[in-house]
Amino acid sequence: MRVVLLKKIISVVGARPNFMKVAPVHHSFQKYKDKINHLVCHTGQHYDEKMSKIFFEDLGMPHPNFYLGVGSGSHAEQTAKVMIEFEKILLKEKPELVIVVGDVNSTVACTLVASKLNIKTAHIEAGLRSFDRTMPEEINRLLTDSISDFLFVSEESGLKNLKKEGIPSKKIFFVGNVMIDSLIQNLSKAESSGVMKEFGLTPSEFILVTLHRPSNVDSEKFIKNLILLFDRLAKKRKIIFPVHPRTKKNLLGFGFKSGNDRILLTDPIGYIDFLALTKNAELIITDSGGIQEESTYLGVQCITVRDNTERPVTTRIGTNHLAGTNLKKVEKTAIEILNGKKKKGKVPELWDGKTADRITRIIAGYNGRSGSETMRLCEMGNG
Ligand code: UD1
């Protein structure tokens, strides 16, 4: 059977949570080097060394082929700048496919540009929904999925959401979670990380915190109550808190300082060292999307400081506790967990380290047939 193969593919990364999603796909594409020319475009949405460069190094990613350097700005500015610059790249490079991941502003911006130029787009991590349209990420998810050609889904809820929204099933592929591919690929490196020693931490005896959502950290009252909460929790366990630039700016802006030597405030931490902290933590308190999934895979207790999650499998069968944004409830849940009331947790379906290979087979096998036909051919080994 003659199969017309895709040649040039551009994957887009923009912000920190994108890098670990594209890395396994890039590594998997290398097995098809004679058929696929894979290029990476970094929009520059995140630009600090500790938010970006260190991730490329940790994940063994090559230097990006294109760097748009858009930086910070309002949502409209950031999205518009990515669109203007990315259009120039697509007009020059004319790829057959653009791959976007996650739900950041760069994701929706690049999908919109590609689809208006009639270039096929694939969205990895499609179908996740918080059903909260005040979250910019929810708008990004809805728009990206509505115009993408391949929708690669990480958990069952994604399938249901896309079908309910009327997306044709031939476009939808349940492939599992690429971020877990990265985690599995880097776990042994994390085991030899020196980060625990560097911060004087004992496995299963500390709390790891990350908080960056504007809805949390832009509020002076929330930040104030957070510091008070950490002071109380630090009497029970040491706390390590790698601080996102947005959170740092607000902490400084509101004039807060922690003088508690059991609360370790640090700059953002690279992928491998952060993985070591995640694996060894007794408890994680976060408002991140990805950390809810990583902690579920590792069976580590996680409290999510949000009123909803677009990743319901992590609360349904994983170790994630959705506590809401009321810090009293967060404290109560944290104390219960530290006293031994832990969720057992299971690893969700297809979070097995082979997601990127499934995606690669589907993309390499694509030859203009319908999605489900391609999937069937891939399964039969004809892809
Ligand atoms: C973005 C994503 C969010 C993701 C998060 C992970 C959107 C809408 N949001 O939010 O989904 O969970 O990344 O980190 O796309 N800044 C720096 N250095 C950097 C990057 C940002 O100082 O390298 C500062 C910016 O000046 C800005 C703030 O951090 O004030 C926020 O950056 P931005 O990219 O707007 O959004 P995030 O909050 O990081």
Side-chain angles (χ1 to χ4, degrees), residues 45-48 72 75 104-105 137 212 244-246 249:
Q45 177 174 344
H46 282 176
Y47 42 89
D48 283 358
S72 304
H75 283 273
V104 301
N105 287 340
E137 293 86 350
H212 74 274
H244 185 281
R246 170 189 289 280
K249 212 188 286 175

Side-chain angles (χ1 to χ4, degrees), residues 52-237:
S52 174
K53 188 165 171 260
I54 188 167
F55 285 82
F56 271 75
E57 290 164 6
D58 276 2
L59 293 160
M61 287 277 283
H63 202 69
N65 303 84
F66 315 101
Y67 185 75
L68 308 184
V70 301
S72 304
S74 71
H75 283 273
E77 280 169 343
Q78 201 171 51
T79 310
K81 278 194 216 159
V82 173
M83 288 181 70
I84 292 166
E85 295 308 315
F86 192 57
E87 186 179 52
K88 293 178 197 162
I89 305 284
L90 292 189
L91 288 172
K92 183 158 174 278
E93 296 294 328
K94 299 185 175 45
E96 277 87 345
L97 180 75
V98 167
I99 298 180
V100 296
V101 295
D103 56 17
V104 301
N105 287 340
S106 302
T107 309
V108 67
C110 294
T111 310
L112 200 47
V113 173
S115 85
K116 288 211 174 177
L117 291 173
N118 287 322
I119 295 169
K120 295 249 180 283
T121 56
H123 182 206
I124 296 180
E125 207 183 82
L128 297 181
R129 297 289 180 266
S130 66
F131 303 102
D132 173 4
R133 292 201 183 188
T134 63
M135 270 180 94
E137 293 86 350
E138 183 74 351
I139 306 298
N140 295 343
R141 292 180 199 115
L142 283 160
L143 297 181
T144 302
D145 285 343
S146 68
I147 52 176
S148 292
D149 300 285
F150 294 84
L151 294 105
F152 294 118
V153 174
S154 57
E155 65 163 275
E156 227 185 315
S157 72
L159 289 177
K160 287 190 195 138
N161 295 333
L162 292 174
K163 283 184 186 159
K164 226 187 279 169
E165 285 166 25
I167 309 275
S169 52
K170 64 181 185 188
K171 290 185 173 185
I172 306 171
F173 304 90
F174 181 28
V175 287
N177 193 329
V178 271
M179 222 180 48
I180 301 302
D181 287 14
S182 264
L183 188 158
I184 292 171
Q185 282 163 20
N186 289 289
L187 208 49
S188 61
K189 276 195 226 158
E191 267 147 23
S192 41
S193 148
V195 73
M196 296 283 295
K197 206 165 162 208
E198 185 188 334
F199 288 102
L201 298 167
T202 312
S204 304
E205 282 183 24
F206 68 94
I207 302 173
L208 171 62
V209 175
T210 82
L211 292 160
H212 74 274
R213 294 214 168 261
S215 53
N216 285 335
V217 302
D218 288 359
S219 151
E220 184 168 357
K221 187 169 164 233
F222 181 89
I223 294 267
K224 191 174 157 205
N225 288 333
L226 195 66
I227 304 274
L228 295 172
L229 167 66
F230 290 166
D231 272 335
R232 290 193 294 276
L233 288 179
K235 289 186 186 133
K236 298 182 182 295
R237 299 290 189 278

